[in-house]
Amino acid sequence: MTYEVIIGIETHVELRTRSKMFCRCTVDFGADPNTNVCPTCLGLPGALPVPNEQAIEWTIALGLALGSAVATRSVFHRKNYFYADLPKNYQISQYDVPLCAGGHLDVEVDGVTSRVGITRVHLEEDTGKSTHIGGDGRIHGASGVRLDFNRSGIPLMEVVTEPDIRSPEVARAYAQELQTIVIALGVSDARLEEGSMRFDANVSLRPAGATELGTKVEVKNMNSLRSLQRALAFEIDRQTRMLDAGERIAQETRHWDEANGRTDPGRSKEESSDYRYFQEPDLLPLEIDEATLARLGASLPELPAARRLRYVDAGVDPAAARTIVSGNLDRLLDDAIDAGVDARSSANWLAGEVTAHLNREGMDAGDLGLDGAGLAELVTMVTEGALSATAAKDVLAGVFAGEGTPRQVAASRDLMQVSDEGALRDMVEAAMAANPDESQRLRDGEERLLGFFVGQVLAASGGKADPGRVASLVRDIASQ
Amino acid sequence: MPVEIDIARVARLARIALTDDELAHYGEQLVGILEHASTVQSLPTEGVEPTAHPLGIVNGLRHDEPGPMLDRDEVFAAAPATDGPYFTVPPFLDE
Amino acid sequence: MSDAADLTIAEAGGRLRDGSLTAADLLDAVRRRASMTEAIIHGYLTIDHDGAAASAAEADAAFARGEDRGRLQGIPIALKDNMVTRGIETTASSRILAGWIPPYDATVVSRLRAAGAILYGKTNLDEFAMGSSTENSAYGPTRNPWDADRVPGGSSGGSAAVVAAGSAYAALGSDTGGSIRQPASLCGVVGMKPTYGLVSRYGLIAFASSLDQIGPIARTVDDAVTVFETIAGHDPYDATSYPGALPDVRTGLTEGVSGLRIGVLSELVSEGVEPAVAAAFQATLDRLAKAGAEISEVSLPTTKHALSAYYLLAPAECSANLARFDGVRYGPRLDGASVEQMMATTRRDGFGPEVTRRILLGTYALSAGYYDAFYGQAQKVRTLVVQEFRQAYQQVDVLVTPTSPTTAFALGARAADPLAMYLSDVCTIPSNLSGDPAISVPVGLDEDGLPIGFQVLGPALGDAMVFRVARAIEELSGFDSRAALASSEGAV
C-alpha cells in the first residue's frame, strides 16, 4: 500500500532583541542562572507586561518576507496551563488574531520545487528552562527539577506551515530556507544546537488517493536539520509498518531520540489541554498602520531566493549558489565579487573547499579566518597562474590555520608557481636544448612528446612551473 | 437554564486539590451563581464587539532598551526552595 | 480638634509649614490612635514602625532645608495590603503569601515615597480583594469603627477603617467592583475610583485586570484630591495606563453645582435600598437642586445586567491572575511527590473559600464549550454598558446613586450566602464595567448611627467633574463625619 505523507512544521524562533518581550531584562544567553530576571518575567504578584516594539516589527518583517498578510489590528491572548517553568502559569501568546497570516515558501529539492504554505506567524514569550536532576537528565525518573528563568520572557516568533510538506527532504529544505531567511533578516541567531530555533513536526499518513487525513502524530526534540530529516523518516517508516499491519496510529506526542535513532512516546495526557484562551487584559490591541508596513517592507534585506538568483545570473553554478546562501557565505562572495574577481570561480571555492572545511571543523561561517579580500587574492593567484589548483588548497588550509593571507602563506610554504614568462621560456629552451632528439621529433609532429617536455620542466622547477603555461610555451617554441 | 458542571475537571484545570465533599459543595454554589449570571445570555449582542480598553487606547509599546533587573539574593530570600543559583521543585510526573 | 490625628491633610500640611507640628508629631498622633483602636478594629496587618520613623525624620529634615515636595510630605498614609511594598511583608490577606517580602515597590508606592509621604502600614482586605466585608481575610476581619459588631465593608475595609478611626490621614484602596467606594460609604469617609487607566496598576496584586483601579480613601474630598494628584499619571510599566494628559482635578474643585445636570440612575435607586439610605439620598438631591443643579431621572437598563456580567468577567480574569500562586517562586509551599501535587496542595491550603469559589467559577466560564455563552457574552454586555453610559453623559454631567443599598451590616450576617454578599455591589459595579470615575461621599447617618454614602459617577476622564460635585455635596450636606464618629455611642 502506498501512502501519502502529510507533514506540517511549527518553528519557534528566539529573537535577538536587546531586552525581553514584555520586560526590560537583558537577553543574554549563557548568563548566570536567575540573574536576568525582574518581577514581570518571574511572574511576581503585581507585575505587568509591556510589549517590545522591536519584536513586533521583526515579526512583521518575517511575515512580509514570507508574503503573509499583516493584520492591521492584532491582539495578544493568554494561553492558560500550569507548568513550573511558566511563571504566571499562562503564556502571553496570540490566538485567533495573529500578527501575520498566510504566505508561502518555495523550496527546491533535486531540481523539484515545492511550495510550502504558511498558515501564520505570531509572537509570544518563551518559558524558563527546567533541568531534571537525577535519572539521566530526562523527564522520567528524575528526583527533582532545577529552574532558571533567564529565558523566561524572551520574544519567540512562531511560524506554522500548512500541512503541505510531502517528504523529510522537503521538510529539511524548508527548515533550512526558513533559517536562512531569519538570519538574513537579522532577527535571530537561529542556532538549532543552542535552541534559538526549534522545530516541532506533525506527521500523518493516508492511503494514496484518499481525501481524509490520517491520525496526526506530533514529533518534538529534533535539534538539528539532520535530526529533523531522520526523525521524520523514522516516523513515516514506523507509521507505514503499523498501517500495513492494520494497527491504529495513536494521536500522541513523540520525542526524537537522536542517540538511538527513534521516536518514543511522550507523557500521556489524561485529557487534552484546555487552554482557555482569552484576550490579554494587561495589554492593548496592536494597530499597525500603513506607514509602518511601508517602512518595514522597504527595509527588508535581499532575501535568500533573490540572492541565489543574483548569483546565478552572475555566472555562479546553481548548486554552489544554494550552498553559499544556506551556509552564510554570501558576504564573502559579495566582497570577492566587489574586489573584481570572477564570481563563478570564487563561488566554487566557497561551495567546495571552504564549506568542506567548515563542515569538518564544525564551524560557522562567522568564525572563518578568511575574508572577502583573502578569497579574492586566492582566486586571483590561481587565475594568474601563480598557484596551481592543488597548491591553492594547501594555501587555503594555511589561511584557516591562521598563518596569514593567501600571498603570505603561499610564500612561506613555498607554493608559488613559477609563472614568469621569461623564466618559463628559459626553462623550456633549456629542456629542449638538453633533449635534441626529442625536440626534433616534436618539431616533426610527434604531439605526445609535449607531455615529456612539460614533465622535464616540472622536474627542473621542483614542481612549481605552471604546467598549462609550460605546455603552450613548448608548443610555441617548437613551432618556431 | 440548568447548568451542568464537571467540577472535578474544573478543579484539575485550576490545580486546586479538593476533597469530594468540597467539590460537591463548590459545584452546587457555582451552579447557583451561574444560573443567576447566565441572564446575560438573553441579551442581544449581535454585532457587538467586546471591550478591550474603556478608553480605546492601543499599542502601549516600549522601545527595545534593557533596564534594571532584580538581585538574585533578594529574590531567593523569598523563595521556598533553591539549590545554588536555581529554584527547585519536585519532579514532573507522568499522568 | 486637639488631637493631631483628627486633622485633615490640608490642615496638617498647614501646621507642618507654619512650624506648629512636625512630621514626627503627626506620626506620633497616628501611632497613639492606632494603639487605642487597633485591638478592636484590626485595620492593619503590618505597621512599619522603623520605616515610618525614618521617613518622618527625613520629611522634617527636608522641611528644615526648605525642601517642599508637596502636600503629602510628612503625612502618614496607609496602603491596602494588595499593593507591593519592597522590604515590607505583603500578603493580599492570603495565606498563600504569608511572610512574603517583595523585592520591588508598586508604582503608586514609589510615587508616594517620592512625594515625601510616610508609609505607615499595610491594611487588611478581603483575600485578594474578593469580597464586600473584609470577612474573607485570612488574618481575621476588620471591624467598623462606628460599631465593632459590624463590617467596615470591603474589600478595602482596613483602609477605610483606619482613615475613619484616625490611625492614618489617608489610605490607598483598590476598586474592582466597588471595593473603595462601598467601604468608604460604610465607614463614613470619602472613597474615589479614578477613570480606568489613570492610576498605574504596576505592583497592584491583580484581581481582575480590566476592572482594577487604585484610588484614595480620605476624610475630605480635598484630601482625596491631594492623594489622587500624587499617584495618578501615565506609567511606562503599565501598558494599560492612559498616555494622554492627566485631568486637572484641583482647579475647578470649588466651582459648585449651579447649572450642572445631575441624573438619578433610576435602576439603582429603588431595589433593596434601606429607607434611611433612600431618605439621605433624597435629602442630598434636594440640597443639590437648591444649589442650582438640574436634577433628572436617567434610565440605563443594561445596569440591571452589570452584576451578572461582572460575576463572569471578574472571576475569569482572576482565575488566570491567581494561577501564578503555586509555591514555586515565592510564598509558603506544601511539599508533594510531584510538582503537580505540590501546586495543587499548596493552592488548596493557601486560598480561602471565596477565592477558591471565584477561581473555579472563572475557570469554568473560560473553558472550552462555555466561553462564548459566558465570558464572551459578558464582554459584549460590557460594551453595551459602556455605550449606554456614554449616551447618558450627552444628557447629564454626572449620574448619582446611593453608594450602597444598606449601611454596615453585622459581621457574619451575609457570610453564608455568597449571592447576598455579591448584591452589595449592585450600585458600584457598573462604573467598573464602564471604566468611568466614581466617588462616594458621606452624607449622614441612619437611625443606628451608621454612615450613609452618596455616589457620584462621571464620564470617562471626567474625574475633575466627579470631585467637584462631591466637594459641593460635602459642603452642602454639612455632615462632619469625624465629629459624628467622635461623639457616636457605638464607636470604638
Side-chain angles (χ1 to χ4, degrees):
Chain A
M1 169 88 93
T2 36
Y3 299 101
E4 190 184 8
V5 172
I6 315 274
I7 297 172
I9 295 184
E10 253 175 50
T11 309
H12 285 92
V13 181
E14 269 177 358
L15 300 184
R16 49 184 285 275
T17 46
R18 297 171 59 217
S19 61
K20 291 186 178 180
M21 183 65 222
F22 294 113
C23 65
R24 297 164 65 196
C25 285
T26 307
V27 173
D28 163 25
F29 303 101
D32 204 19
N34 292 304
T35 53
N36 291 347
V37 294
C38 77
T40 298
C41 58
L42 268 183
L44 295 191
L48 291 175
V50 182
N52 184 328
E53 186 177 55
Q54 183 68 272
I56 290 166
E57 293 201 346
W58 281 354
T59 304
I60 294 172
L62 179 62
L64 292 173
L66 295 174
S68 309
V70 178
T72 40
R73 188 183 160 99
S74 180
V75 296
F76 288 103
H77 271 73
R78 289 190 187 178
K79 179 180 183 182
N80 300 282
Y81 65 98
F82 283 82
Y83 209 73
D85 64 14
L86 188 61
K88 302 183 292 300
N89 288 312
Y90 61 83
Q91 180 194 31
I92 300 178
S93 177
Q94 296 198 288
Y95 181 52
D96 56 357
V97 207
L99 271 169
C100 310
H104 63 265
L105 203 52
D106 289 339
V107 294
E108 202 194 292
V109 176
D110 295 334
V112 178
T113 304
S114 306
R115 172 156 291 195
V116 179
I118 303 293
T119 313
R120 55 190 276 150
V121 182
H122 77 243
L123 190 51
E124 58 189 26
E125 53 176 347
D126 209 343
T127 65
K129 245 192 220 147
S130 50
T131 324
H132 304 271
I133 331 160
D136 54 357
R138 290 165 59 80
I139 294 180
H140 308 289
S143 67
V145 182
R146 291 195 180 116
L147 299 168
D148 174 13
F149 292 99
N150 283 351
R151 196 182 71 180
S152 164
I154 287 181
L156 214 53
M157 246 178 1
E158 183 173 329
V159 186
V160 182
T161 73
E162 295 288 323
D164 289 345
I165 298 171
R166 295 284 173 271
S167 72
E169 290 70 31
V170 171
R172 182 190 177 142
Y174 162 80
Q176 178 148 64
E177 185 73 354
L178 184 64
Q179 183 186 40
T180 311
I181 291 174
V182 159
I183 291 173
L185 289 172
V187 305
S188 173
D189 296 325
R191 292 191 190 189
L192 282 81
E193 340 73 60
E194 276 178 19
S196 51
M197 190 168 200
R198 322 199 274 257
F199 299 109
D200 297 328
N202 289 304
V203 190
S204 69
L205 265 47
R206 68 181 172 199
T211 43
E212 250 181 55
L213 288 171
T215 308
K216 224 167 33 167
V217 172
E218 187 185 23
V219 182
K220 286 169 136 15
N221 199 42
M222 301 163 290
N223 298 328
S224 68
L225 294 171
R226 185 169 163 267
S227 296
L228 174 66
Q229 189 173 343
R230 285 183 73 206
L232 289 173
F234 174 88
E235 189 53 27
I236 291 166
D237 185 61
R238 184 188 78 90
Q239 290 189 25
T240 303
R241 285 166 200 264
M242 287 180 70
L243 289 174
D244 282 346
E247 287 168 42
R248 210 180 57 83
I249 310 282
Q251 180 172 344
E252 58 178 349
T253 299
R254 297 177 71 88
H255 292 266
W256 172 245
D257 176 350
E258 177 71 27
N260 293 312
R262 45 178 298 108
T263 61
D264 294 316
R267 300 168 60 200
S268 59
K269 291 176 186 165
E270 57 186 58
E271 62 213 18
S272 52
S273 313
D274 180 353
Y275 294 121
R276 287 158 280 136
Y277 285 99
F278 68 100
Q279 193 171 318
E280 173 56 83
D282 287 332
L283 295 176
L284 304 175
L286 299 174
E287 274 183 11
I288 295 142
D289 60 17
E290 285 296 324
T292 305
L293 274 183
R295 173 173 55 83
L296 291 172
S299 63
L300 283 181
E302 182 185 45
L303 294 174
R307 184 162 297 177
R308 283 192 296 268
L309 211 59
R310 173 164 67 82
Y311 290 159
V312 167
D313 284 348
V316 173
D317 169 65
R322 181 163 300 281
T323 306
I324 286 164
V325 169
S326 62
N328 285 317
L329 295 164
D330 2 28
R331 255 289 281 289
L332 271 168
L333 182 56
D334 283 326
D335 287 347
I337 293 173
D338 284 345
V341 288
D342 173 49
R344 190 177 181 88
S345 325
S346 306
N348 286 340
W349 278 104
L350 284 173
E353 283 301 305
V354 174
T355 297
H357 172 76
L358 288 176
N359 289 339
R360 257 194 317 269
E361 303 299 314
M363 284 165 67
D364 276 335
D367 307 318
L368 261 184
L370 178 75
D371 63 8
L375 178 62
E377 193 171 275
L378 185 76
V379 171
T380 306
M381 286 166 74
V382 172
T383 318
E384 286 174 355
L387 282 179
S388 67
T390 325
K393 286 185 190 169
D394 288 340
V395 168
L396 204 52
V399 171
F400 290 148
E403 291 168 25
T405 68
R407 234 170 248 291
Q408 288 166 351
V409 173
S412 66
R413 285 197 185 192
D414 197 24
L415 291 168
M416 301 281 283
Q417 288 188 144
V418 179
S419 56
D420 174 59
E421 185 81 9
L424 281 176
R425 189 171 279 272
D426 289 344
M427 282 195 269
V428 168
E429 283 171 357
M432 292 185 85
N435 298 279
D437 287 336
E438 287 81 0
S439 298
Q440 191 54 56
R441 282 160 63 192
L442 179 61
R443 283 201 175 92
D444 290 340
E446 250 187 79
E447 283 282 320
R448 64 185 177 84
L449 284 174
L450 203 66
F452 167 75
F453 281 106
V454 171
Q456 290 290 304
V457 171
L458 272 175
S461 70
K464 294 210 201 118
D466 178 348
R469 300 278 296 284
V470 170
S472 59
L473 274 172
V474 170
R475 216 183 258 116
D476 191 48
I477 292 170
S479 64
Q480 283 164 5
Chain B
M1 189 204 101
V3 178
E4 271 175 42
I5 304 176
D6 182 354
I7 190 70
R9 181 168 181 271
V10 174
R12 272 196 310 273
L13 281 175
R15 278 289 189 283
I16 304 180
L18 295 173
T19 65
D20 289 338
D21 282 343
E22 287 165 337
L23 286 173
H25 171 73
Y26 283 118
E28 251 172 59
Q29 288 185 331
L30 252 57
V31 168
I33 297 167
L34 280 167
E35 273 170 358
H36 180 85
S38 62
T39 59
V40 295
Q41 284 166 8
S42 61
L43 292 172
T45 51
E46 272 299 310
V48 177
E49 287 299 306
T51 300
H53 189 289
L55 295 175
I57 53 178
V58 294
N59 294 337
L61 310 179
R62 70 178 163 86
H63 295 310
D64 183 24
E65 305 260 335
M69 298 183 285
L70 288 175
D71 172 53
R72 185 172 67 201
D73 289 338
E74 197 176 357
V75 172
F76 276 16
T82 58
D83 177 18
Y86 300 100
F87 293 91
T88 56
V89 291
F92 298 4
L93 218 51
D94 252 330
E95 241 116 12
Chain C
M1 304 238 172
S2 51
D3 191 332
D6 296 320
L7 295 171
T8 64
I9 294 175
E11 289 162 352
R15 304 285 295 275
L16 286 171
R17 285 161 183 84
D18 72 21
S20 52
L21 282 176
T22 63
D25 292 331
L26 296 183
L27 179 58
D28 215 55
V30 154
R31 220 186 263 132
R32 270 183 281 114
R33 185 60 59 85
S35 70
M36 291 189 312
T37 55
E38 270 300 290
I40 298 172
I41 69 170
H42 184 233
Y44 282 104
L45 294 179
T46 303
I47 293 178
D48 180 21
H49 294 288
D50 293 344
S55 297
E58 166 49 36
D60 284 330
F63 276 124
R65 286 195 297 271
E67 245 171 65
D68 193 336
R69 285 184 268 170
R71 294 185 165 91
L72 286 185
Q73 182 165 310
I75 307 290
I77 307 282
L79 300 165
K80 186 176 183 182
D81 201 29
N82 61 353
M83 296 173 207
V84 166
T85 43
R86 187 176 182 187
I88 304 172
E89 184 177 4
T90 301
T91 66
S93 285
S94 178
R95 280 161 43 138
I96 215 163
L97 280 179
W100 182 54
I101 312 286
Y104 79 108
D105 272 336
T107 296
V108 293
V109 172
S110 308
R111 289 185 182 181
L112 286 174
R113 284 195 206 278
I118 298 171
L119 303 179
Y120 183 58
K122 310 300 291 298
T123 59
N124 201 14
L125 58 149
D126 282 295
E127 188 182 356
F128 284 109
M130 299 180 204
S132 312
S133 66
T134 312
E135 292 173 291
N136 293 327
S137 167
Y139 300 104
T142 294
R143 292 164 182 274
N144 195 316
W146 294 79
D147 179 342
D149 292 327
R150 295 178 184 263
V151 302
S155 61
S156 311
S159 282
V162 302
V163 171
S167 47
Y169 286 87
L172 293 190
S174 71
D175 193 311
T176 306
S179 289
I180 286 175
R181 294 162 284 156
Q182 186 255 28
S185 172
L186 269 51
C187 288
V189 291
V190 175
M192 189 262 181
K193 181 197 84 70
T195 299
Y196 181 87
L198 285 188
V199 180
S200 169
R201 291 182 300 113
Y202 185 73
L204 173 68
I205 299 178
F207 160 16
S209 317
S210 72
L211 304 169
D212 295 342
Q213 266 297 268
I214 294 176
I217 296 174
R219 278 172 221 147
T220 64
V221 173
D222 194 275
D223 285 356
V225 164
T226 297
V227 176
F228 174 95
E229 286 176 322
T230 311
I231 61 174
H234 181 250
D235 180 16
Y237 280 85
D238 177 354
T240 61
S241 93
Y242 180 66
L246 183 63
D248 169 7
V249 298
R250 189 172 287 278
T251 302
L253 185 60
T254 52
E255 263 172 36
V257 296
S258 175
L260 289 184
R261 301 160 301 165
I262 297 181
V264 174
L265 216 176
S266 48
E267 279 80 6
L268 299 182
V269 296
S270 43
E271 226 174 278
V273 179
E274 277 174 357
V277 174
F281 182 74
Q282 188 58 52
T284 308
L285 284 179
D286 294 339
R287 290 191 193 100
L288 286 167
K290 236 189 245 143
E294 207 182 286
I295 318 285
S296 60
E297 241 194 48
V298 180
S299 166
L300 297 179
T302 59
T303 48
K304 285 203 301 287
H305 302 281
L307 199 77
S308 302
Y310 173 84
Y311 277 102
L312 291 171
L313 288 174
E317 291 185 10
C318 106
S319 69
N321 285 330
L322 268 62
R324 67 190 63 196
F325 300 101
D326 59 7
V328 173
R329 290 144 286 124
Y330 42 83
R333 173 192 292 190
L334 264 65
D335 275 305
S338 68
V339 67
E340 291 87 350
Q341 262 171 41
M342 180 276 279
M343 287 186 181
T345 329
T346 298
R347 289 163 64 77
R348 174 245 160 64
D349 187 71
F351 291 138
E354 183 61 40
V355 169
T356 302
R357 186 162 32 247
R358 295 200 197 193
I359 291 175
L360 293 173
L361 181 54
T363 304
Y364 179 77
L366 288 173
S367 59
Y370 302 106
Y371 178 93
D372 289 330
F374 292 124
Y375 184 78
Q377 180 71 350
Q379 277 287 34
K380 293 181 181 181
V381 169
R382 184 175 183 184
T383 303
L384 293 178
V385 171
V386 171
Q387 286 171 350
E388 219 175 44
F389 268 105
R390 219 151 269 167
Q391 261 169 27
Y393 288 121
Q394 289 175 358
Q395 257 75 54
V396 297
D397 297 303
V398 295
L399 290 163
V400 294
T401 77
T403 307
S404 167
T406 69
T407 55
F409 44 92
L411 280 149
R414 296 190 190 177
D417 184 358
L419 261 175
M421 190 69 85
Y422 297 164
L423 288 168
S424 351
D425 299 330
V426 70
C427 297
T428 47
I429 275 175
S431 39
N432 295 94
L433 287 184
S434 68
D436 295 338
I439 191 169
S440 178
V441 191
V443 289
L445 304 175
D446 73 1
E447 61 274 9
D448 293 321
L450 299 169
I452 296 167
F454 186 96
Q455 181 179 225
V456 180
L457 315 176
L461 297 173
D463 301 62
M465 176 61 73
V466 149
F467 274 124
R468 170 179 159 187
V469 173
R471 177 74 177 73
I473 290 169
E474 185 180 64
E475 203 172 292
L476 292 168
S477 78
F479 174 61
D480 183 341
S481 183
R482 184 84 274 277
L485 178 58
S487 61
S488 158
E489 277 177 16
V492 170

